[in-house]
Every structure is written in structure tokens, then in C-alpha cells.
């Protein structure tokens, strides 16, 4: 037999295969996407984004907007700036005075450290809580732990009355706006929120600048807008805050808080805390300061003064698109905010860097002929820190279009604070995240992130599950979407399947002046390897969503989670005194049937060639929308999604079946029964849609 060995033509062929660039050879876009993102590029971007503090609506903020615009243009995209006019307060006076037993006028400014030039900035806003009303409050102080409803319950049992007092709450557990709402509901006249060293200070590890945790005078700025009622511009609920939009009076805006509120450091809080009388606190209320905490009131008396400059100010989103070749109207949106309380190295600029790097990656592919089937939209939101302003107004402006056409929203806020990958998502997109993690390696050891994340989540198990890389089912645990970032309007208001992801870490300088380039390059991601990895994840996720023949939405996981949540909620009915004839049996059964149908559907990767993909995709994309109801949730009509919402008393954490939970807690049995029927009807529609899809596939010859 004659072989080709030694034949010049053979070696010529081998040689030509080796030198032909990859894209011409196989259009292996995924491999290319993994190669483009680079740590050096990310470092340079983050450096530019964090040059100055850049609060929403400021000149410095606009310089960041221009930088983002210029970068996108350099990539070959055509960005546009989309402005809205929103009700935005800047601090004029924030004063904390301790009048008794010592006298002290603060708050103390954040300390400058010689190795970190940024920590000396004079153009940074002092510690303040955005949307605190103007006002003064004075009097004795009561310590309320995390300031949750159950904490005030404990105080009542201890016989401590907070009415007419200033309450001192520590940061953590719930969104700070919830602390303001609960303080108001309990009759407090003012609120101080401080960062306890037990929560993100020296009890966690070394403090800045020796370590990543919050130092003595580090203060957490932040909004206390009642976003759990509705986020976005307070004066234009439900509609975009354009120039001509109708605005309500600030006095009518339900998401504006009522009592003067001020954030302080533990350096200042200890001056108050150590002079509180009253009983000793329950053990789990004790924080990290070196004395036994008391509830108060007592010797300590303080006054708070807050004066804001409230005005309608412009904010600027930046939007750039890679048009889809086959379905230009179907949008995959990848976004993050660009406004920051200070320099915002972690929050938000690590995420902004990642989205820019993902845009650079996909735009580079476009130059080589890459044409995604669906349109990829890169979005850089303004005013997130104030109350998700830019994203909410944009979604409100495009609500009908997005409800009909948006395939998914991918959010990457706090893209990198360390090395631990985490994500929250609609149940339908969790399997996609797992799939992506199988393809991207952990920079630390070169192993697939899927393996790393599984090991972190299953510390006690030694053996990897045999099916881990087979894409057959979900092996990783991801959270639910509550609130606290820009996916809120997409998911809760417009029903767009959404996910939010990033690398977490020892992030003790949240919303402090130390969230800057020095922190990132010493503690967060010194080599910017995780920024590059996150950009690979973001670009690959956008690519898969935009290019998949069948939209990667996992109906079975949705059914599975709704079943689990219904069973869990049913268990609490007894404790809440719900009448025995009222139960979630109907919802549980519907979820079981839905899960069976979804399982019977099987994987959607081997569809018959003549089956119309457009119809299949349309049916899949409708599932999430079935859970929207125009009337919204009880007490908060802006929130349209009936299966998930931020908890009214958690603010960040998600609540499943929020309407049912609401009436159960209020012990309103008639309304509870109606709510159960409404939710069950929605789930039944999802079951029906899934059944139709299975029947369609069956008649087309699948299985
Ligand atoms: Zn953020």
C-alpha cells in the first residue's frame, strides 16, 4: 500500500492547515472568545474608570460616560448616550453631634493613608444616605441591632420603647432602605446606620490599608430609597423620566423615606454605643467593639442634621449594539452601572471593565466576520446607586418592546472582588451559567471553573459527580434574583429572564473611599486575572444567548424550584395560623405536572431538521412572561412578576410567591385564597405551554 508519508503534497497540506487562521478554518467563535480578554487590558480600563470619584449626574460622572463612549467607538461600535432627568439629591450638610455625656461634632472624615493617594480626596461626597429627607432630630439613642422587624420585636419584649428616639442600627442582613422603613414604622425620629467591625471590619480580617476590611472611620454611603416599593426616579413611577414626562410631587412619592438618616463609621458609633444604658443586648446582637453592648436608652444624647440639595438632574446611560443577522429584534442585553459613590473600583468599575472587555472581545470577532443571530446590546447604566435609576427608566421607556422581544438580561455589577464565583438567576438560566463555567478555566489552577465552584459548594465531598460535565442537570447552587442591582426592572417589571454574576471576595470597603484602584491592585485582583476570566464568562454568555439555535432556557428547573418553594411555604401555613382548609395543594400539583411535562420534553439539542425553530423559541420565551400580571403585587403595583420579588422586609433577598406570602403575613384569608388561585392559574398556563411544546416536538418526530 502506498502511503503519503514523504509525499511533499501531504506535508504541504498539513502545513497549510496549520497556518490557516482559526476563524477561516472552522469559525470556532467560542475558542476565540476565550482568547481575546486580557488582564493588562482590564487593568488599564479599571485604572481609567477609577481616576476620580464619579457620582451620578456630576461632571466627573460625565467624564466616565465619555470614556466609555470613546472606548466603544474604538472597538468599532456605535454607542449612543441616552439621558433621563431624575430627582437626585446631593449632600449639603450632614452633621452628627454627640451632646451627652461627651461633646463631639462629627462625623469624622475617612482617614487618609500615605500609600493610597486616593484616600485623601477632597472631591468625594461625605458619608450620606441618598434620599434621606432634610431635617434635624435629637434625643436619646436605642441600639436596634440590624434594624429588622424582628429586632424591634425583641426590644418590645425587653421593654424598650423606641418611639421618639434616634435608633442606631448596624449595617448588614437587609437593605439599608428597609432599616429606614422599619425605623419609621416603629416611631423613631432619626436613624444612624453604622458599620460594625463584626460585619465587615477587624473581626473578619486585617483592615485597610494592611488588609481588605473596613478601617475605623470607613463609612458605607448608600441610598435608602424604598426600592422594594418601586425603584427608579421617585417622581415618574412606571414611566420613563424624559423631559416631557408627567411628574408627581415629591410629597406623593411612596419610595421616598420619612426620617433623617445618616451612615457613620464604627469609630464614631462607639462614642454613642458605649454610653447606652438599659438591659444588656441578647448575645447575637453583640458586635465587635470592645465593651458589652446595651440596648439604650441611657446617658448618650445626639443630634442629627441632614440638608440635601434636591434637584432634577440629568443622568446618562451608554448603549451600544451588535445587530443580529437573523433576528435583529431579539435582544440579549449585557449591562452594568457606571456611577459610583466614590472611586468605585469594585462597585461598579470591576463590572464595567468586564462589560467593556466583553464588548471589545465580541467587536473584535465582528471584524473577522462574526454575525450573531440575535442582537447583543451593551448597556452602561447611570444612577444605579441612587435607586437603579438609569436601568429602570430605560426599561420603562422600552417596556413593551422588551416584554415581547428581549431574550435575556445579563448583569455584571461588582464583577470582581475576589476569587469566588457566584450568581443569581431566574431558574430558567441557571443551567446556562453552569454550562459556561464548564468552558472557562479558573486562573488560579487552570481547572474549569465548574469544578472549582462545585468543590467550593461541596467542601465535604471528595469525588466529583460523574455527570458534572455532561450538561444533564444542575449541579451548582445559584441564588434567586431579589434586588440591589440593575436586573430588577428587567426581571420584576418586564419579565425578561435575567441573571447576575461575579467573583466575590473579602470586600470590606463597600461604598467607602477605599474602594479604589489601590484596594483592587493589592487585595481584590492584583493580577487582573479574574477580570479577564469574568470577561470570558460574560462574552461567552452573551454569545450563547445570541447565537443558540434554541434559546437556552431550562423549563424543568423552573418547575422544580417553584415546586420546592410551594412545599416550603405550605409548611409555614400552620405556624401562621392559616385555616386548615386553605392550602397550596393545587399549586404543588400543578408544579408536579409541569415538571413531568418539562422532563418529557427532554433536551432540545437534537430537533428534527424540518421543525420550525422560530415557533419553538417563541414558545420557550413566553414562559417567563406568563408570570407577569398587570395589576402587580399587592401593595406595590410596579412589581409585575408574581413568582419572585425582593422581600418587603429584606430588600435585597428574594421572596418566592411574594403575593401569597404578603396576605399570609397579614392574615387576610379571603385575599389569600384569591391570590393562591391567581398564582395557580399562571402556573397552569406554563404547564399548558410546556405541554403544547412537547406535542409540537412529538408531531415533528422528536423521540
Ligand atoms: Zn453596584
Amino acid at each position: 500500500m502506498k502511503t503519503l508519508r514523504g509525499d511533499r503534497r501531504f506535508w504541504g497540506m498539513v502545513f497549510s492547515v496549520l497556518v490557516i487562521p482559526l476563524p477561516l478554518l472552522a469559525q470556532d467563535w467560542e475558542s476565540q472568545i476565550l482568547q481575546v480578554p486580557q488582564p493588562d487590558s482590564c487593568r488599564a480600563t479599571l485604572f481609567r474608570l477609577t481616576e476620580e470619584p464619579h457620582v451620578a449626574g456630576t461632571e466627573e460622572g460625565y467624564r466616565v460616560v465619555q470614556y466609555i463612549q470613546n472606548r466603544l467607538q474604538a472597538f468599532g461600535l456605535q454607542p449612543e448616550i441616552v439621558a433621563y432627568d431624575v430627582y437626585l439629591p446631593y449632600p449639603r450638610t450632614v452633621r452628627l453631634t454627640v451632646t451627652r455625656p461627651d461633646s463631639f461634632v462629627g462625623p469624622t472624615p475617612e482617614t487618609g493613608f500615605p500609600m493610597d493617594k486616593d484616600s485623601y480626596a477632597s472631591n468625594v461626597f461625605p458619608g450620606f444616605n441618598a434620599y434621606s429627607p432634610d431635617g434635624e432630630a435629637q434625643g436619646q439613642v436605642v441600639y436596634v441591632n440590624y434594624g429588622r422587624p424582628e429586632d424591634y420585636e425583641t426590644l418590645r419584649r425587653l421593654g424598650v420603647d423606641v418611639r421618639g428616639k434616634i435608633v442606631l442600627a448596624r449595617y448588614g442582613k437587609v437593605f439599608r432602605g428597609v432599616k429606614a422603613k422599619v425605623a419609621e414604622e416603629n416611631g423613631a425620629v432619626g436613624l444612624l446606620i453604622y458599620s460594625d467591625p463584626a460585619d465587615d471590619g477587624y473581626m473578619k480580617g486585617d483592615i485597610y490599608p494592611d488588609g481588605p476590611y473596613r478601617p475605623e472611620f470607613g463609612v458605607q454611603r448608600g441610598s435608602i430609597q424604598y426600592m422594594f416599593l418601586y425603584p427608579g426616579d421617585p417622581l415618574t413611577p412606571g414611566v420613563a423620566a424624559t423631559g416631557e414626562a408627567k411628574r408627581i410631587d415629591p410629597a406623593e412619592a411612596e419610595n421616598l423615606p420619612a426620617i433623617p438618616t445618616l451612615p457613620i463609621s464604627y469609630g464614631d458609633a462607639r462614642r454613642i454605643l458605649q454610653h447606652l444604658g438599659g438591659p444588656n443586648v441578647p448575645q447575637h446582637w453583640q458586635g465587635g467593639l470592645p465593651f458589652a453592648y446595651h440596648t439604650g436608652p441611657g446617658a448618650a444624647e445626639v443630634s442629627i442634621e441632614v440638608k440635601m440639595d434636591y434637584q432634577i438632574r440629568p443622568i446618562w446611560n451608554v448603549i451600544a449594539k451588535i445587530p443580529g443577522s437573523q433576528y435583529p429584534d431579539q435582544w440579549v442585553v449585557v449591562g452594568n452601572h457606571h456611577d459610583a459613590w466614590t472611586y468605585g473600583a469594585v462597585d461598579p468599575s470591576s463590572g464595567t471593565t468586564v462589560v467593556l472587555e466583553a464588548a471589545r472581545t465580541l467587536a473584535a470577532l465582528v471584524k473577522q466576520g462574526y454575525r450573531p443571530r440575535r442582537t447583543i446590546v451593551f448597556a452602561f447604566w447611570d444612577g444605579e446607586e441612587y435607586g437603579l435609576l438609569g436601568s429602570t427608566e430605560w426599561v420603562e421607556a422600552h417596556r413593551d418592546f422588551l416584554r415581547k422581544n428581549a431574550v435575556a438580561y445579563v448583569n455584571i455589577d461588582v464583577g470582581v472582588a475576589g476569587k469566588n464565583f457566584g450568581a443569581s438567576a431566574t431558574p430558567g438560566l441557571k443551567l446556562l451559567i453552569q454550562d459556561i463555567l464548564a468552558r472557562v478555566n479558573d486562573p488560579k489552577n487552570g481547572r474549569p471553573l465548574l469544578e472549582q465552584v462545585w468543590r467550593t459548594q461541596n467542601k465535604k465531598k471528595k469525588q466529583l459527580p460523574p455527570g458534572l460535565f455532561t450538561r444533564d442537570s444542575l449541579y451548582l447552587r445559584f441564588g434567586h434574583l431579589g434586588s440591589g442591582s440593575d436586573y430588577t426592572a428587567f426581571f420584576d417589571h418586564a419579565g425578561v429572564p435575567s441573571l447576575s454574576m461575579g467573583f466575590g471576595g473579602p470586600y470590606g470597603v463597600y461604598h467607602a473611599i477605599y474602594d479604589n484602584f489601590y484596594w483592587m491592585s493589592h487585595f481584590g485582583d492584583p493580577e487582573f486575572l479574574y477580570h479577564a476570566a469574568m470577561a470570558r464568562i460574560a462574552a461567552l454568555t452573551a454569545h450563547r444567548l445570541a447565537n443558540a439555535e434554541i434559546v437556552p432556557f431550562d423549563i424543568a428547573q423552573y418547575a422544580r424550584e417553584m415546586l420546592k418553594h410551594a412545599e416550603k411555604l405550605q409548611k409555614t401555613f400552620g405556624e401562621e395560623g392559616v385555616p386548615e382548609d386553605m392550602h397550596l395543594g393545587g399549586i404543588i400539583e400543578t408544579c408536579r405536572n409541569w415538571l413531568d411535562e418539562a422532563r418529557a420534553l427532554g433536551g432540545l439539542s437534537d430537533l428534527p431538521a424540518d421543525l420550525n425553530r422560530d415557533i419553538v423559541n417563541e414558545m420557550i420565551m413566553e414562559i417567563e412572561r406568563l408570570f407577569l400580571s398587570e395589576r402587580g403585587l399587592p401593595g406595590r403595583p410596579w412589581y409585575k412578576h408574581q413568582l419572585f420579588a425582593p422581600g418587603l422586609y429584606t430588600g435585597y433577598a428574594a421572596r418566592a410567591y411574594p403575593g401569597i406570602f404578603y396576605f399570609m403575613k397579614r392574615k387576610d384569608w379571603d385575599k389569600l385564597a384569591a391570590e393562591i388561585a391567581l398564582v395557580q392559574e399562571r402556573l397552569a398556563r406554563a404547564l399548558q405551554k410546556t405541554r403544547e411544546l412537547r406535542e409540537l416536538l412529538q408531531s415533528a418526530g422528536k423521540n
Side-chain angles (χ1 to χ4, degrees), residues 327-350:
Y327 310 105
D329 274 354
Q330 292 184 12
W331 288 6
V332 173
V333 186
V334 185
N336 180 33
H337 65 105
H338 60 71
D339 66 303
W341 281 129
T342 66
Y343 298 89
V346 174
D347 180 11
S349 306
S350 62

Side-chain angles (χ1 to χ4, degrees), residues 675-686:
E675 194 67 22
I676 292 173
L678 181 139
V679 172
Q680 189 179 332
E681 188 264 339
R682 292 312 167 109
L683 290 163
R685 281 205 233 169

Side-chain angles (χ1 to χ4, degrees), residues 45-309:
T45 304
L46 190 87
F47 185 80
R48 283 296 310 272
L49 288 169
T50 56
E51 275 181 337
E52 318 174 88
H54 48 283
V55 174
T58 60
E59 255 173 61
E60 294 85 349
Y62 194 69
R63 281 200 278 276
V64 165
V65 166
Q66 285 175 316
Y67 169 70
I68 293 170
Q69 186 187 28
N70 292 341
R71 285 299 301 278
L72 293 166
Q73 270 162 356
F75 303 157
L77 304 175
Q78 280 114 45
E80 49 169 337
I81 295 180
V82 182
Y84 295 104
D85 298 316
V86 296
Y87 191 55
L88 213 61
Y90 293 158
R92 240 203 269 268
T93 309
V94 286
R95 191 167 296 133
L96 164 72
T97 313
V98 179
T99 46
R100 245 172 249 186
D102 308 330
S103 74
F104 162 78
V105 180
T108 308
E110 290 172 301
T111 315
F113 299 107
M115 65 287 283
D116 172 13
K117 68 168 174 52
D118 289 342
S119 61
Y120 291 98
S122 56
N123 59 344
V124 67
F125 280 174
F128 82 113
N129 285 124
Y131 294 115
S132 164
D134 285 350
E136 282 176 54
Q138 48 212 12
Q140 288 183 303
V141 180
V142 173
Y143 171 63
V144 296
N145 195 28
Y146 292 108
R148 302 164 294 184
E150 61 264 38
D151 296 323
Y152 288 87
E153 203 45 61
T154 302
L155 286 170
R156 258 188 291 281
R157 278 201 302 275
L158 292 170
V160 180
D161 191 356
V162 304
R163 275 172 303 175
K165 303 283 189 300
I166 288 172
V167 290
L168 175 65
R170 55 170 160 164
Y171 268 119
K173 305 289 183 203
V174 296
F175 167 55
R176 65 184 89 70
V178 169
K179 299 175 198 279
K181 182 82 162 43
V182 179
E184 177 198 337
E185 285 172 357
N186 281 278
V189 293
L191 169 63
L192 292 166
I193 317 177
Y194 81 103
S195 302
D196 195 284
D199 296 296
D200 63 5
Y202 54 74
M203 302 285 280
K204 295 281 184 187
D206 288 330
I207 58 172
Y208 196 79
D210 299 324
Y213 288 101
R214 194 177 299 273
E216 187 176 9
F217 294 103
V219 64
Q220 182 191 132
R221 295 154 186 78
S223 175
I224 51 167
Q225 192 199 71
Y226 295 171
M227 289 173 225
F228 37 86
L229 297 182
Y230 66 90
D233 174 35
L235 306 189
T236 60
V239 298
T242 54
E244 58 272 18
K246 246 187 88 181
R247 286 174 167 74
I248 58 174
D249 192 90
E252 253 114 68
E254 282 176 19
N255 72 353
L256 291 178
I259 58 173
T261 301
L262 200 63
I264 57 174
S265 62
Y266 60 80
D268 285 347
R270 68 177 296 165
R271 292 173 177 277
I272 304 164
L273 260 174
Q274 66 189 352
H275 295 300
L276 293 185
N280 280 100
V281 298
Q283 204 186 353
H284 60 282
W285 284 36
Q286 174 72 38
L289 289 169
F291 47 82
Y293 291 20
H294 290 250
T295 61
E301 279 180 36
V302 307
S303 86
I304 307 175
E305 189 190 340
V306 179
K307 186 121 190 53
M308 298 282 170
D309 178 11

Side-chain angles (χ1 to χ4, degrees), residues 399-413:
R399 177 175 41 218
D400 295 343
F401 182 88
L402 292 169
R403 275 196 194 163
K404 191 159 175 288
N405 297 303
V407 175
Y409 175 64
V410 177
N411 192 63
I412 303 164
D413 192 359

